[in-house]
Each structure stands twice: as C-alpha cells, then as structure tokens.
Amino acid sequence: NAGVTQTPKFRVLKTGQSMTLLCAQDMNHEYMYWYRQDPGMGLRLIHYSVGEGTTAKGEVPDGYNVSRLKKQNFLLGLESAAPSQTSVYFCASSYLVSSGADTQYFGPGTRLTVL
Amino acid sequence: AQSVAQPEDQVNVAEGNPLTVKCTYSVSGNPYLFWYVQYPNRGLQFLLKYITGDNLVKGSYGFEAEFNKSQTSFHLKKPSALVSDSALYFCAVRDSWGKLQFGAGTQVVVTP
C-alpha cells in the first residue's frame, strides 16, 4: 500500500514551458486535491476533484489545469509556466465522510522551479 | 468564510519541557479542526482532529489538542517535547465540501 505518490519529485522549467504533475493513490479515495506550499503562506488549494471525471477550482486556480480520468489519478498541468509558479506542490486524497471525519492523506511533494 | 490563524511563526522549547502550538479559528457552524506536521522535505502527516465530543483530543506521537469553543481555539500540546518533534506544524479547518483551509504554519524548534 503506497498511499499517495507524486511524480516527479523535482523539476526545473524555463518560463513558458509546460509540464504535468502526476498524483496517484491506491486507497480508493473519492476526493483528491492539489495544493501549493509557499513560505509563510501555508498550503493553498489549487484544484480538487470529488470523483472520477469531475474537477473544481480551489483558492488559487489561475495558470493551472487538472484532469481526473481515472479514480486513482489526478493530474496537474501547467500550460505556460511562470516564475510565480515556483513552489512545492502537494497532492492529497480522502474519503468523503458526511460527518466531517474524513482525513486527507498527503503525497511527498514535487519541488518545481521556474526560471 | 472560514479561516484559521497560527499567531506564532516559531516556537522554541527545550527538550523535556511542555510544548504548545497555538491555533484560533473562525467558522460558521460546527468546526472540524485538524493538526498536521511536516518534517523537512516531506509531505504533511496527520496528527489529530476534532469533529465532535470530548474537548481534549489525543493523537499521534504523544500529541493532544484542546478544543475551546468560547475562545475559538484549538491549541496543540505535548507534555514533554523531544528534539525529533522539531518540524513545521499546520492547523486546518474543514469546510462542508471537505476542503481544508490551512494556517500559515508554526515552526517548532526543540533544543537539547
């Protein structure tokens, strides 16, 4: 049981390049999330998905796109990278529990630098 | 809109002393509150959560948190800190859609 995995772990891009970050979970979770972490700002939600084939915007969605074609995978795309997107990106997943007891489980992160 | 605040950027404590990391929240309705810990170059690890019931919540690695509705606080505590507790700690509040709103984080430094 690998939990939540992220690919790649590190990446350096030049401004204007594109890339896709892959998140995979083997816990059969319905919900998946993409966050970015910047110093002094905690984690901010970029996009999330409540199930296969569905996605929704979070707090900071601009410049990013996502897709959830399979329940276990959640892809984050940067079409034209900008230096402001230099950050550490975390994926998380959870069950949906109406009582609020669901816990998000996080991947190890992807450190992205845009030059 | 819901939010959490962690008023301290850093907490310094000597090994063996009590550790407290503060968190206050603002929500409409019942709060669902979480604490996560992040070790260097790692992802976030779940420590504990408050959903309902007992105001004192026990979690992983000897941590506990006290929910105080009147003060809208959810402070993380450990009776005796270890050097290995040095890490970045995040408080978070869950909304009705399952999304988490995180605080800015508190760096804990435990010195031998």
Side-chain angles (χ1 to χ4, degrees), chain A residues 81-101:
Chain A
S84 60
Q85 294 178 304
T86 293
S87 187
V88 181
Y89 292 85
F90 288 101
C91 177
S93 69
S94 70
Y95 288 115
L96 170 62
V97 180
S98 59
S99 66

Side-chain angles (χ1 to χ4, degrees), chain A residues 57-76:
Chain A
K57 294 180 180 179
E59 183 185 352
V60 288
D62 294 342
Y64 305 95
N65 57 75
V66 288
S67 65
R68 183 120 180 251
L69 300 179
K70 294 182 179 180
K71 186 176 184 179
Q72 63 268 33
N73 296 337
F74 195 28
L75 304 179
L76 177 70

Side-chain angles (χ1 to χ4, degrees), chain A residues 20-34 47-56 65-77 91-96:
Chain A
T20 300
L21 283 68
L22 170 63
C23 175
Q25 53 94 3
D26 60 2
M27 296 174 283
N28 202 33
H29 286 166
E30 293 93 354
Y31 281 28
M32 297 187 74
Y33 310 83
W34 275 107
H47 286 280
Y48 65 103
S49 168
V50 302
E52 182 178 326
T54 70
T55 62
N65 57 75
V66 288
S67 65
R68 183 120 180 251
L69 300 179
K70 294 182 179 180
K71 186 176 184 179
Q72 63 268 33
N73 296 337
F74 195 28
L75 304 179
L76 177 70
C91 177
S93 69
S94 70
Y95 288 115
L96 170 62

Side-chain angles (χ1 to χ4, degrees), chain A residues 31 33 35 37 40-43 45 48 59 90 96-109 111, chain B residues 9 32 34 36 38 41-46 49-51 88 90 94-105:
Chain A
Y31 281 28
Y33 310 83
Y35 295 90
Q37 182 182 24
M41 302 187 74
L43 277 76
L45 183 65
Y48 65 103
E59 183 185 352
F90 288 101
L96 170 62
V97 180
S98 59
S99 66
D102 49 299
T103 298
Q104 290 186 23
Y105 295 91
F106 284 78
R111 188 173 295 275
Chain B
D9 292 336
Y32 300 138
F34 297 76
Y36 283 84
Q38 184 181 30
N41 300 313
R42 303 287 294 276
L44 275 69
Q45 295 180 27
F46 169 73
K49 62 187 174 188
Y50 172 83
I51 303 301
L88 187 57
F90 290 100
R94 177 193 184 276
D95 71 10
S96 57
W97 293 96
K99 304 193 302 294
L100 290 177
Q101 182 75 37
F102 285 87

